[in-house]
Amino acid sequence: MTIKDTPEEWEIRATRTPFTGAKTSVRTDDVVMPDGSVASRDYQVHPGSVAVLALDEEDRVLLINQYRHPVRHKLWEIPAGLLDVPGENPLHAAQRELYEEAHVKAEDWRVLTDVYTTPGGCDEAVRIFLARGLSEAEGERFAAEHEETDMQHARVPLQEMVRGILAGELHNTCLVVGVLSLVAARQGDGLDSLRPASAPWPARPFEA
């Protein structure tokens, strides 16, 4: 048996949107179950996101620290952001986020991994990139607002990140998945075997 996620869509008898927000909404679908019964499923509709694990020449990961109100924590995270435009190329979005949140650019980009963050209650899909060959970006720094005005930056050795994840000290999904995927890739076929930055992404199709 091949262990691989496969697309599938069960019949929907009715759908409604009880809430619409600035970036996301909540949808309720009446879904036909395998036994013929119908069950209501509520979930958040999300445009998708990108995240960047930026690794410097000293094997340090670029981190930001930001307040996240839903969980009442300041979390250490890797740069990330929404796919604001339908069909937007995720690499372009990732480059934008790295510039805006860290004022950094990168020469080498690879797809590290693709994940659904919370598939039981949200359709958010995230593409996590590995960025190497880091340098200071040119031009003015992006003007921060809201939670980002209190943002801190750090570069932390990769192995220290692994220790913090396994000790339960770091919790951000993209950070945890990105760091552990990087370690696994190194122990496997190597970083140069990772998918190119332009690799197809069925969860969020885009224009090349």
Short mmCIF file of all heavy atoms in Angstrom, two decimals, residues 103-156:
data_model
loop_
_atom_site.label_atom_id
_atom_site.label_comp_id
_atom_site.label_asym_id
_atom_site.label_seq_id
_atom_site.Cartn_x
_atom_site.Cartn_y
_atom_site.Cartn_z
N HIS A 103 13.82 42.20 6.64
CA HIS A 103 14.66 43.02 5.76
C HIS A 103 15.85 42.20 5.26
O HIS A 103 17.00 42.65 5.29
CB HIS A 103 15.13 44.29 6.48
CG HIS A 103 15.51 45.38 5.54
ND1 HIS A 103 14.61 46.03 4.72
CD2 HIS A 103 16.73 45.94 5.25
CE1 HIS A 103 15.23 46.94 4.00
NE2 HIS A 103 16.52 46.89 4.29
N VAL A 104 15.56 40.99 4.82
CA VAL A 104 16.58 40.05 4.35
C VAL A 104 16.16 39.52 2.98
O VAL A 104 14.97 39.36 2.70
CB VAL A 104 16.74 38.89 5.36
CG1 VAL A 104 17.52 37.73 4.76
CG2 VAL A 104 17.42 39.39 6.63
N LYS A 105 17.15 39.23 2.12
CA LYS A 105 16.90 38.56 0.86
C LYS A 105 17.74 37.28 0.82
O LYS A 105 18.68 37.12 1.60
CB LYS A 105 17.23 39.46 -0.33
CG LYS A 105 18.69 39.87 -0.42
CD LYS A 105 18.92 40.78 -1.62
CE LYS A 105 20.40 41.20 -1.72
NZ LYS A 105 20.65 42.08 -2.88
N ALA A 106 17.39 36.36 -0.08
CA ALA A 106 18.08 35.08 -0.17
C ALA A 106 18.35 34.73 -1.62
O ALA A 106 17.56 35.06 -2.50
CB ALA A 106 17.26 33.98 0.51
N GLU A 107 19.46 34.05 -1.85
CA GLU A 107 19.84 33.66 -3.21
C GLU A 107 19.31 32.29 -3.61
O GLU A 107 19.02 32.04 -4.77
CB GLU A 107 21.38 33.68 -3.33
CG GLU A 107 22.00 35.05 -3.17
CD GLU A 107 21.51 36.05 -4.20
OE1 GLU A 107 21.34 35.65 -5.38
OE2 GLU A 107 21.29 37.22 -3.84
N ASP A 108 19.20 31.39 -2.67
CA ASP A 108 18.81 30.00 -2.97
C ASP A 108 17.51 29.66 -2.26
O ASP A 108 17.41 29.77 -1.04
CB ASP A 108 19.90 29.03 -2.52
CG ASP A 108 19.61 27.60 -2.94
OD1 ASP A 108 18.94 26.88 -2.16
OD2 ASP A 108 20.01 27.19 -4.04
N TRP A 109 16.51 29.25 -3.05
CA TRP A 109 15.19 28.92 -2.51
C TRP A 109 14.81 27.50 -2.89
O TRP A 109 14.98 27.09 -4.05
CB TRP A 109 14.13 29.88 -3.05
CG TRP A 109 14.27 31.28 -2.52
CD1 TRP A 109 15.11 32.25 -2.98
CD2 TRP A 109 13.54 31.86 -1.44
NE1 TRP A 109 14.95 33.41 -2.26
CE2 TRP A 109 14.00 33.20 -1.30
CE3 TRP A 109 12.55 31.39 -0.58
CZ2 TRP A 109 13.49 34.06 -0.33
CZ3 TRP A 109 12.04 32.25 0.38
CH2 TRP A 109 12.51 33.56 0.50
N ARG A 110 14.28 26.75 -1.93
CA ARG A 110 13.77 25.40 -2.16
C ARG A 110 12.45 25.23 -1.41
O ARG A 110 12.20 25.92 -0.42
CB ARG A 110 14.75 24.34 -1.63
CG ARG A 110 16.16 24.46 -2.17
CD ARG A 110 16.33 23.79 -3.49
NE ARG A 110 17.66 23.98 -4.05
CZ ARG A 110 18.28 23.10 -4.80
NH1 ARG A 110 17.71 21.94 -5.07
NH2 ARG A 110 19.49 23.36 -5.29
N VAL A 111 11.63 24.30 -1.87
CA VAL A 111 10.43 23.94 -1.09
C VAL A 111 10.86 22.94 -0.04
O VAL A 111 11.40 21.88 -0.36
CB VAL A 111 9.35 23.32 -1.99
CG1 VAL A 111 8.18 22.83 -1.13
CG2 VAL A 111 8.85 24.33 -3.01
N LEU A 112 10.64 23.29 1.22
CA LEU A 112 10.99 22.39 2.31
C LEU A 112 9.87 21.38 2.55
O LEU A 112 10.10 20.17 2.59
CB LEU A 112 11.27 23.21 3.58
CG LEU A 112 11.92 22.50 4.76
CD1 LEU A 112 13.18 21.74 4.34
CD2 LEU A 112 12.24 23.52 5.84
N THR A 113 8.64 21.87 2.68
CA THR A 113 7.50 20.97 2.85
C THR A 113 6.20 21.74 2.68
O THR A 113 6.17 22.97 2.75
CB THR A 113 7.53 20.29 4.24
OG1 THR A 113 6.55 19.26 4.30
CG2 THR A 113 7.27 21.29 5.35
N ASP A 114 5.11 21.02 2.43
CA ASP A 114 3.76 21.58 2.34
C ASP A 114 2.89 20.93 3.40
O ASP A 114 2.93 19.70 3.56
CB ASP A 114 3.14 21.30 0.96
CG ASP A 114 3.94 21.91 -0.18
OD1 ASP A 114 4.49 23.02 0.01
OD2 ASP A 114 4.02 21.29 -1.25
N VAL A 115 2.11 21.72 4.12
CA VAL A 115 1.28 21.17 5.19
C VAL A 115 -0.10 21.80 5.21
O VAL A 115 -0.29 22.93 4.76
CB VAL A 115 1.93 21.37 6.58
CG1 VAL A 115 3.22 20.58 6.70
CG2 VAL A 115 2.19 22.84 6.87
N TYR A 116 -1.07 21.03 5.72
CA TYR A 116 -2.36 21.57 6.16
C TYR A 116 -2.23 21.76 7.67
O TYR A 116 -1.97 20.80 8.39
CB TYR A 116 -3.50 20.61 5.85
CG TYR A 116 -3.81 20.44 4.38
CD1 TYR A 116 -3.64 19.21 3.75
CD2 TYR A 116 -4.30 21.50 3.64
CE1 TYR A 116 -3.94 19.05 2.41
CE2 TYR A 116 -4.60 21.36 2.28
CZ TYR A 116 -4.41 20.13 1.67
OH TYR A 116 -4.70 19.99 0.34
N THR A 117 -2.40 22.99 8.14
CA THR A 117 -2.12 23.26 9.55
C THR A 117 -3.10 22.59 10.51
O THR A 117 -2.70 22.00 11.50
CB THR A 117 -2.11 24.77 9.82
OG1 THR A 117 -3.36 25.33 9.37
CG2 THR A 117 -0.96 25.43 9.08
N THR A 118 -4.40 22.72 10.23
CA THR A 118 -5.43 22.14 11.12
C THR A 118 -6.57 21.60 10.27
O THR A 118 -7.66 22.20 10.23
CB THR A 118 -5.97 23.21 12.10
OG1 THR A 118 -6.30 24.41 11.36
CG2 THR A 118 -4.96 23.56 13.16
N PRO A 119 -6.37 20.48 9.56
CA PRO A 119 -7.36 20.01 8.59
C PRO A 119 -8.69 19.57 9.17
O PRO A 119 -9.65 19.41 8.43
CB PRO A 119 -6.64 18.84 7.91
CG PRO A 119 -5.64 18.37 8.91
CD PRO A 119 -5.18 19.62 9.61
N GLY A 120 -8.77 19.41 10.50
CA GLY A 120 -10.05 19.06 11.10
C GLY A 120 -10.99 20.24 11.23
O GLY A 120 -12.19 20.06 11.44
N GLY A 121 -10.46 21.48 11.11
CA GLY A 121 -11.33 22.63 11.30
C GLY A 121 -10.98 23.84 10.47
O GLY A 121 -11.59 24.90 10.62
N CYS A 122 -10.00 23.70 9.55
CA CYS A 122 -9.59 24.83 8.73
C CYS A 122 -8.95 24.30 7.46
O CYS A 122 -8.26 23.27 7.50
CB CYS A 122 -8.58 25.69 9.51
SG CYS A 122 -7.95 27.13 8.60
N ASP A 123 -9.17 24.98 6.33
CA ASP A 123 -8.59 24.50 5.07
C ASP A 123 -7.27 25.19 4.74
O ASP A 123 -6.80 25.13 3.61
CB ASP A 123 -9.59 24.66 3.92
CG ASP A 123 -9.83 26.11 3.51
OD1 ASP A 123 -9.35 27.03 4.22
OD2 ASP A 123 -10.50 26.34 2.49
N GLU A 124 -6.63 25.83 5.74
CA GLU A 124 -5.37 26.51 5.49
C GLU A 124 -4.30 25.54 5.00
O GLU A 124 -4.05 24.50 5.60
CB GLU A 124 -4.85 27.21 6.74
CG GLU A 124 -3.54 27.95 6.49
CD GLU A 124 -2.95 28.58 7.74
OE1 GLU A 124 -3.40 28.23 8.85
OE2 GLU A 124 -2.06 29.42 7.61
N ALA A 125 -3.64 25.90 3.90
CA ALA A 125 -2.49 25.17 3.39
C ALA A 125 -1.29 26.11 3.46
O ALA A 125 -1.40 27.29 3.15
CB ALA A 125 -2.73 24.73 1.95
N VAL A 126 -0.15 25.58 3.91
CA VAL A 126 1.07 26.38 4.04
C VAL A 126 2.21 25.72 3.27
O VAL A 126 2.42 24.51 3.39
CB VAL A 126 1.49 26.55 5.51
CG1 VAL A 126 2.76 27.40 5.61
CG2 VAL A 126 0.39 27.18 6.33
N ARG A 127 2.90 26.51 2.48
CA ARG A 127 4.14 26.05 1.84
C ARG A 127 5.31 26.66 2.62
O ARG A 127 5.40 27.89 2.75
CB ARG A 127 4.20 26.44 0.37
CG ARG A 127 5.56 26.25 -0.28
CD ARG A 127 5.49 26.06 -1.78
NE ARG A 127 5.06 24.70 -2.12
CZ ARG A 127 5.05 24.22 -3.37
NH1 ARG A 127 5.41 24.99 -4.39
NH2 ARG A 127 4.65 22.98 -3.61
N ILE A 128 6.18 25.80 3.12
CA ILE A 128 7.35 26.24 3.87
C ILE A 128 8.57 26.14 2.97
O ILE A 128 8.89 25.06 2.47
CB ILE A 128 7.55 25.41 5.15
CG1 ILE A 128 6.29 25.45 6.02
CG2 ILE A 128 8.75 25.92 5.94
CD1 ILE A 128 6.35 24.57 7.26
N PHE A 129 9.23 27.27 2.77
CA PHE A 129 10.43 27.33 1.94
C PHE A 129 11.69 27.29 2.80
O PHE A 129 11.70 27.77 3.93
CB PHE A 129 10.45 28.63 1.13
CG PHE A 129 9.44 28.71 0.03
CD1 PHE A 129 8.19 29.26 0.26
CD2 PHE A 129 9.74 28.26 -1.25
CE1 PHE A 129 7.25 29.36 -0.76
CE2 PHE A 129 8.82 28.34 -2.28
CZ PHE A 129 7.56 28.89 -2.03
N LEU A 130 12.76 26.75 2.22
CA LEU A 130 14.10 26.89 2.78
C LEU A 130 14.81 27.97 1.97
O LEU A 130 14.87 27.88 0.74
CB LEU A 130 14.87 25.57 2.69
CG LEU A 130 16.35 25.64 3.06
CD1 LEU A 130 16.53 26.01 4.53
CD2 LEU A 130 17.05 24.32 2.75
N ALA A 131 15.33 28.98 2.65
CA ALA A 131 16.04 30.07 2.00
C ALA A 131 17.48 30.11 2.51
O ALA A 131 17.71 30.13 3.73
CB ALA A 131 15.35 31.41 2.27
N ARG A 132 18.43 30.11 1.57
CA ARG A 132 19.86 30.17 1.94
C ARG A 132 20.55 31.26 1.12
O ARG A 132 19.97 31.80 0.20
CB ARG A 132 20.52 28.82 1.70
CG ARG A 132 20.03 27.72 2.62
CD ARG A 132 20.67 26.38 2.28
NE ARG A 132 20.20 25.87 0.99
CZ ARG A 132 20.70 24.79 0.39
NH1 ARG A 132 21.69 24.13 0.96
NH2 ARG A 132 20.22 24.39 -0.79
N GLY A 133 21.78 31.54 1.48
CA GLY A 133 22.48 32.65 0.83
C GLY A 133 21.89 33.97 1.23
O GLY A 133 21.51 34.79 0.38
N LEU A 134 21.80 34.21 2.54
CA LEU A 134 21.12 35.39 3.08
C LEU A 134 22.00 36.62 3.03
O LEU A 134 23.22 36.55 3.19
CB LEU A 134 20.68 35.14 4.53
CG LEU A 134 19.87 33.87 4.83
CD1 LEU A 134 19.46 33.87 6.29
CD2 LEU A 134 18.66 33.77 3.92
N SER A 135 21.36 37.77 2.84
CA SER A 135 22.05 39.06 2.91
C SER A 135 21.03 40.13 3.24
O SER A 135 19.81 39.92 3.12
CB SER A 135 22.77 39.38 1.59
OG SER A 135 21.84 39.48 0.52
N GLU A 136 21.53 41.28 3.65
CA GLU A 136 20.66 42.40 3.99
C GLU A 136 19.95 42.89 2.73
O GLU A 136 20.56 43.03 1.66
CB GLU A 136 21.48 43.53 4.59
CG GLU A 136 20.67 44.70 5.14
CD GLU A 136 20.11 44.43 6.52
OE1 GLU A 136 20.38 43.36 7.09
OE2 GLU A 136 19.38 45.31 7.02
N ALA A 137 18.67 43.15 2.83
CA ALA A 137 17.90 43.64 1.68
C ALA A 137 18.20 45.12 1.44
O ALA A 137 18.59 45.85 2.36
CB ALA A 137 16.42 43.43 1.92
N GLU A 138 18.02 45.54 0.23
CA GLU A 138 18.22 46.94 -0.12
C GLU A 138 16.93 47.72 0.09
O GLU A 138 15.85 47.15 0.20
CB GLU A 138 18.68 47.06 -1.57
CG GLU A 138 19.97 46.32 -1.87
CD GLU A 138 20.30 46.29 -3.35
OE1 GLU A 138 19.46 46.77 -4.15
OE2 GLU A 138 21.38 45.80 -3.70
N GLY A 139 17.03 49.04 0.15
CA GLY A 139 15.85 49.87 0.28
C GLY A 139 15.43 50.10 1.72
O GLY A 139 16.07 49.63 2.67
N GLU A 140 14.33 50.83 1.88
CA GLU A 140 13.84 51.16 3.22
C GLU A 140 13.19 49.96 3.87
O GLU A 140 12.66 49.07 3.20
CB GLU A 140 12.83 52.31 3.12
CG GLU A 140 13.42 53.62 2.62
CD GLU A 140 12.39 54.73 2.62
OE1 GLU A 140 11.26 54.50 3.11
OE2 GLU A 140 12.72 55.82 2.14
N ARG A 141 13.23 49.95 5.18
CA ARG A 141 12.57 48.89 5.93
C ARG A 141 11.06 49.05 5.85
O ARG A 141 10.54 50.17 5.80
CB ARG A 141 13.01 48.90 7.39
CG ARG A 141 14.43 48.40 7.59
CD ARG A 141 14.79 48.26 9.06
NE ARG A 141 16.07 47.63 9.24
CZ ARG A 141 16.27 46.32 9.31
NH1 ARG A 141 15.24 45.50 9.22
NH2 ARG A 141 17.48 45.82 9.47
N PHE A 142 10.36 47.93 5.86
CA PHE A 142 8.90 47.94 5.79
C PHE A 142 8.33 48.54 7.07
O PHE A 142 8.81 48.24 8.18
CB PHE A 142 8.40 46.50 5.61
CG PHE A 142 6.91 46.38 5.48
CD1 PHE A 142 6.26 46.74 4.31
CD2 PHE A 142 6.14 45.89 6.52
CE1 PHE A 142 4.90 46.63 4.17
CE2 PHE A 142 4.77 45.77 6.40
CZ PHE A 142 4.14 46.13 5.23
N ALA A 143 7.32 49.36 6.95
CA ALA A 143 6.69 50.00 8.12
C ALA A 143 5.79 49.00 8.83
O ALA A 143 4.78 48.56 8.30
CB ALA A 143 5.88 51.22 7.68
N ALA A 144 6.17 48.63 10.05
CA ALA A 144 5.40 47.64 10.82
C ALA A 144 4.16 48.28 11.42
O ALA A 144 4.11 49.49 11.69
CB ALA A 144 6.27 47.07 11.93
N GLU A 145 3.12 47.44 11.64
CA GLU A 145 1.91 47.91 12.29
C GLU A 145 1.30 46.79 13.11
O GLU A 145 1.64 45.63 12.96
CB GLU A 145 0.90 48.43 11.26
CG GLU A 145 0.45 47.40 10.25
CD GLU A 145 -0.53 47.97 9.24
OE1 GLU A 145 -0.77 49.19 9.26
OE2 GLU A 145 -1.08 47.19 8.45
N HIS A 146 0.41 47.17 14.01
CA HIS A 146 -0.30 46.23 14.90
C HIS A 146 0.70 45.41 15.71
O HIS A 146 1.63 45.97 16.28
CB HIS A 146 -1.25 45.35 14.09
CG HIS A 146 -2.23 46.12 13.26
ND1 HIS A 146 -3.04 47.10 13.78
CD2 HIS A 146 -2.50 46.07 11.92
CE1 HIS A 146 -3.78 47.63 12.82
NE2 HIS A 146 -3.48 47.03 11.69
N GLU A 147 0.53 44.07 15.75
CA GLU A 147 1.41 43.23 16.57
C GLU A 147 2.87 43.31 16.13
O GLU A 147 3.80 43.11 16.93
CB GLU A 147 0.96 41.76 16.52
CG GLU A 147 -0.35 41.47 17.22
CD GLU A 147 -1.54 41.58 16.29
OE1 GLU A 147 -1.39 42.18 15.20
OE2 GLU A 147 -2.61 41.08 16.64
N GLU A 148 3.09 43.62 14.85
CA GLU A 148 4.45 43.63 14.32
C GLU A 148 5.30 44.78 14.85
O GLU A 148 6.53 44.74 14.74
CB GLU A 148 4.41 43.66 12.79
CG GLU A 148 3.82 42.39 12.18
CD GLU A 148 3.80 42.43 10.67
OE1 GLU A 148 4.09 43.50 10.10
OE2 GLU A 148 3.49 41.39 10.06
N THR A 149 4.67 45.80 15.44
CA THR A 149 5.45 46.92 15.99
C THR A 149 6.27 46.48 17.19
O THR A 149 7.23 47.15 17.57
CB THR A 149 4.52 48.08 16.39
OG1 THR A 149 3.57 47.62 17.36
CG2 THR A 149 3.78 48.62 15.18
N ASP A 150 5.90 45.37 17.82
CA ASP A 150 6.59 44.85 19.00
C ASP A 150 7.47 43.65 18.65
O ASP A 150 7.96 42.94 19.52
CB ASP A 150 5.55 44.46 20.06
CG ASP A 150 6.18 44.16 21.41
OD1 ASP A 150 7.10 44.90 21.80
OD2 ASP A 150 5.77 43.18 22.06
N MET A 151 7.68 43.40 17.37
CA MET A 151 8.38 42.21 16.92
C MET A 151 9.87 42.27 17.25
O MET A 151 10.52 43.30 17.10
CB MET A 151 8.19 42.05 15.41
CG MET A 151 8.78 40.79 14.82
SD MET A 151 8.54 40.75 13.02
CE MET A 151 6.75 40.55 12.91
N GLN A 152 10.41 41.13 17.71
CA GLN A 152 11.83 40.99 17.95
C GLN A 152 12.42 40.01 16.94
O GLN A 152 11.70 39.18 16.38
CB GLN A 152 12.10 40.45 19.36
CG GLN A 152 11.64 41.35 20.49
CD GLN A 152 11.78 40.67 21.83
OE1 GLN A 152 10.94 39.88 22.23
NE2 GLN A 152 12.87 40.96 22.51
N HIS A 153 13.73 40.12 16.70
CA HIS A 153 14.42 39.24 15.77
C HIS A 153 15.58 38.53 16.46
O HIS A 153 16.16 39.05 17.40
CB HIS A 153 14.96 40.03 14.57
CG HIS A 153 13.89 40.69 13.75
ND1 HIS A 153 13.29 41.88 14.12
CD2 HIS A 153 13.31 40.32 12.58
CE1 HIS A 153 12.39 42.22 13.21
NE2 HIS A 153 12.38 41.29 12.27
N ALA A 154 15.89 37.34 15.98
CA ALA A 154 17.04 36.60 16.51
C ALA A 154 17.51 35.60 15.46
O ALA A 154 16.75 35.22 14.56
CB ALA A 154 16.65 35.86 17.80
N ARG A 155 18.77 35.20 15.59
CA ARG A 155 19.31 34.10 14.78
C ARG A 155 19.80 33.05 15.76
O ARG A 155 20.70 33.32 16.57
CB ARG A 155 20.42 34.59 13.86
CG ARG A 155 19.93 35.56 12.79
CD ARG A 155 20.93 35.74 11.67
NE ARG A 155 20.47 36.73 10.70
CZ ARG A 155 20.94 36.82 9.46
NH1 ARG A 155 21.89 36.00 9.04
NH2 ARG A 155 20.48 37.75 8.64
N VAL A 156 19.20 31.87 15.67
CA VAL A 156 19.42 30.83 16.68
C VAL A 156 19.99 29.58 16.01
O VAL A 156 19.48 29.15 14.97
CB VAL A 156 18.09 30.49 17.40
CG1 VAL A 156 18.31 29.44 18.46
CG2 VAL A 156 17.48 31.75 18.01
#
